[in-house]
Amino acid sequence: MVNQLEIRNLHARIVDGETILNGVNLIVPKGQIHAIMGPNGAGKSTLGKIIAGDPSYEITKGDILMDGESILEMEADERARKGLFLAFQYPVEVPGVSNANFLRLALQAKQGGEVNMMEFYGKLQKALKTLEWDESILTRYLNDGFSGGEKKRNEIMHMMVLEPTYAIMDETDSGLDIDALKVVAKGVNAMRGPNFGALLITHYQRLLNYIVPDAVHVMIDGRIVTSGGPELALRLEEQGYDWVKELAATAS
Amino acid sequence: MELTSTLSRDLILQVSSKLGEPDWLRAKRLLAWETFARLPYPTPRTEEWKYTDITEVPFEELSLELPTGQPRAIPQAVQDRLAQAQLSGYAVFVGADLVHVELPEALREQGVILCSLHEAMARHPRLVEENLFRAVNWSDLVGTQQNRPENSKIPALNAALFTHGVFLYIPRNVEFSKPIGVFKYLEGGQLSASRTLIVGDVNSQAVYIEEYISPAKVAPSVNTSSTEIIVGDGAKVRHAHIQLLGQGFYHFHRQRAHLQRDAALNDLVVNMGASLSRAEVQSEMLGPGSSSEMLGLYFTTGLEHVDHYTLQHHVADHAYSDVLYKGAAKDQSRTVYAGLIKVEPGAQKTDAYQTNRNLLLSADARSDSVPQLEIGANDVKCSHGSSTAPVAPEELFYLMSRGLPRHMAQQILVKGHMTDVLTRIPIEPLRQYIESIIEEKVRV
């Protein structure tokens, strides 16, 4: 079995609309954390949503393979049950279901049967401790009335409880103050291990001070134009994206 | 006695005599019959029926459901509800027969009456004669300016032909907070007509739940129900009408509450069954300081059609009313809501709100919403709002991306949509029951 999340020559557009991805090639091996950076409108968030199965986009060419198996034909819930997770940039507020109950339902769906309550409670406690959070967040309705920071932190808590094989974090760092950012990074770092791969989508190098990636990719106009190690993020921070844009222009 | 089944003046005389009714009631039935016979049925050209077509409803092709007088067992579906509902007292009807009634000794000793309408007529004639048809009769108008006489057609049918009913009386200063439940189990295939009369005397407090249950699928059937709620000075009544009839039923419900000085009504109407249903729910703020909370929940699937009309009629000053109706529609089903806040010239310092929100779970589902205000006083606070929107695809995607199958994600969104109504139902077992109905309906 190939232990990796592979994006192969992916072309995609908004259903009946504008083309966003123009041939993305990317491999995230299990056990590694990769970052995708790029200017606004490069298609980073779209890539994340497409991997997770957002039906508002259609794939016109290419494939997405999880451990060697194509997931293109699967709906979002099936992909999640296979071990994929997307931490949303804008998590949705859902009154009527408590945070903990929702997580229990999600875990139940993933395991295909009743959840052992002791085990579940243990996972919640562990996640809350890592994220320096108290239990009151569990009984509140899912994201309902959460502050921006609480929503982001809650996405990481969901990830920690659901224990995906591959996680995509869509600008989880945006809008976080430095303390919150450190806590979120702690959560992601706690997930690190041979059975976990992640793709961090971010605008800023700042997050990468706390989550040191194994590789950094730069996306412009719907494709990856260059890749490198953590030092690439530092160069982008110092020099901006103009030099990569030139690189992209000469390449195409 | 064998009764003819076709609707006629003769049939009414036979029903009245079979039920051993007093002269005054027979006379009222005949007046109602004259109204019924004179009026046409409402059609989509009738303003209040614009979105609900009842031309196919077999009002006059069905036999009238009559009491059989035979002992009947409590149906399993009702037993299940009794086991879950945590009631103080209850009554069970199978068809037009009252098969069981139970009221705790403590309530009986305080003078609370729970019995069939006809028993009440025999034992408490004055109470019944004073109050029956007081709030809902055969010619009262719905309240809008466009109101057309055909709006009285079905209430007149009910008044002329009702075969059974419930009477609940709570004496002055008597209070109870554990609900009394009345279950009406209908077997279907007939025209059923029943009435409910609730009288809460001065400073009394009561909780009353009425549920309509039937087999899941029945031959074409019509159910008409009229509910009158008299809330005396300083009295409080919590009332719920829960309709969960099977496919094949056409359900027509009209209720009206009279609220006296400082009276309070907390009303809940839940329509989650029947092929077609229409509920007209009205509160008359007749006394200063009265208040009426009117909650509604509905969820249609398949080809179901549900229609609600609410009226907040402010006659007295310093009264409060708040309508919150929330619904969802799936498949090719349809929901209709129309509501009116009507403030009479003398009703200064009225505080009245009306909100209707609809969630569409499929492209073929449809909701129509018509909120209206008619304000005759100049010192009032009134607002109304309505909205209809499809499930937001990003919300569905978010929930599914955590691994929940589509139907579970939809369940959560429907319950989320209805949460602000659900959290205003303080009767925990009832709320859980309603939530379980919603879950079941999303799954199917």
Side-chain angles (χ1 to χ4, degrees), chain B residues 16 19-28 118 121-122 125 128-129:
Chain B
S16 187
L19 296 172
E21 290 177 347
D23 293 345
W24 67 264
L25 182 51
R26 189 173 54 248
K28 290 199 170 179
H118 285 88
M121 277 172 221
V128 178
E129 188 173 355

Side-chain angles (χ1 to χ4, degrees), chain B residues 342-399:
Chain B
K342 184 170 180 156
V343 181
E344 297 293 343
Q348 298 296 5
K349 302 286 179 190
T350 286
D351 211 355
Y353 306 93
Q354 182 200 74
T355 306
N356 171 238
R357 308 222 178 277
N358 302 295
L359 182 70
L360 302 177
L361 293 178
S362 76
D364 295 329
R366 179 172 164 181
S367 290
D368 292 288
S369 186
V370 191
Q372 298 173 85
L373 290 175
E374 215 181 287
I375 299 178
N378 56 14
D379 185 12
V380 300
K381 271 197 286 186
C382 291
S383 75
H384 65 171
S386 89
S387 64
T388 298
V391 165
E394 64 272 20
E395 295 181 3
L396 200 58
F397 172 53
Y398 178 72
L399 297 175

Side-chain angles (χ1 to χ4, degrees), chain B residues 245-267:
Chain B
L245 293 168
Q247 294 303 304
F249 258 104
Y250 301 97
H251 174 73
F252 299 91
H253 176 67
R254 176 175 285 191
Q255 79 177 49
R256 180 176 285 177
H258 278 188
L259 287 89
Q260 311 295 353
R261 176 178 291 270
D262 299 323
L265 174 73
N266 295 90
D267 186 63

Side-chain angles (χ1 to χ4, degrees), chain B residues 177-192:
Chain B
S177 56
K178 213 173 163 189
I180 283 181
V182 169
F183 298 89
K184 296 191 173 173
Y185 187 85
L186 302 176
E187 288 163 319
Q190 292 184 300
L191 168 65
S192 180

Side-chain angles (χ1 to χ4, degrees), chain A residues 49 52-54 75-77 80-81 85-86 88 91-92 94-97 102 105-106 109 141 143 155 158, chain B residues 393-406 408-409 411-413 415-417 419-420 423 435:
Chain A
K49 288 191 262 190
D54 188 337
E75 286 211 72
D77 56 322
R81 293 195 296 272
F85 182 90
L86 172 65
F88 277 55
V92 169
V94 188
V97 61
F102 172 71
L105 290 172
Y141 286 148
N143 297 322
E155 293 292 280
H158 282 197
Chain B
E394 64 272 20
E395 295 181 3
L396 200 58
F397 172 53
Y398 178 72
L399 297 175
M400 288 176 70
S401 82
R402 297 289 132 100
L404 296 192
R406 182 176 298 269
M408 279 183 75
Q411 257 175 32
I412 285 173
L413 292 175
K415 274 202 274 182
H417 172 69
T419 286
D420 48 358
T423 52
E435 286 182 1

Side-chain angles (χ1 to χ4, degrees), chain B residues 53-182:
Chain B
D53 187 350
I54 56 165
T55 45
E56 64 176 60
V57 179
F59 288 104
E60 299 184 36
E61 282 111 75
L62 300 170
S63 63
L64 181 66
E65 176 193 67
L66 292 158
T68 64
Q70 303 297 314
R72 309 282 292 266
I74 297 180
Q76 188 58 46
V78 177
Q79 289 186 31
D80 293 347
R81 289 294 302 126
L82 285 171
Q84 194 261 341
Q86 297 176 29
L87 303 166
S88 60
Y90 65 93
V92 180
F93 285 83
V94 176
D97 292 292
L98 176 63
V99 300
H100 196 94
V101 59
E102 206 164 298
L103 192 66
E105 185 65 38
L107 292 183
R108 267 186 285 147
E109 276 175 359
Q110 294 180 82
V112 175
I113 302 166
L114 174 67
C115 65
S116 81
L117 254 182
H118 285 88
E119 187 185 333
M121 277 172 221
R123 298 174 60 171
H124 314 279
R126 196 187 48 83
L127 264 181
V128 178
E129 188 173 355
E130 270 176 14
N131 293 296
L132 191 66
F133 302 119
R134 182 169 156 191
V136 179
N137 65 25
W138 53 90
S139 66
D140 59 353
L141 304 178
V142 187
T144 63
Q145 283 176 334
Q146 312 90 326
N147 191 20
R148 313 258 316 177
E150 57 262 39
N151 277 306
S152 296
K153 181 79 173 177
I154 300 168
L157 178 71
N158 177 278
L161 285 170
F162 76 96
T163 58
H164 61 293
V166 185
F167 179 66
L168 173 65
Y169 173 74
I170 312 102
R172 180 182 279 259
N173 298 329
V174 171
E175 300 177 5
F176 61 89
S177 56
K178 213 173 163 189
I180 283 181
V182 169

Side-chain angles (χ1 to χ4, degrees), chain B residues 225-241:
Chain B
S225 55
S226 295
T227 295
E228 301 176 85
I229 307 170
I230 310 296
V231 194
D233 289 357
K236 285 188 166 62
V237 171
R238 185 174 286 283
H239 170 265
H241 171 90

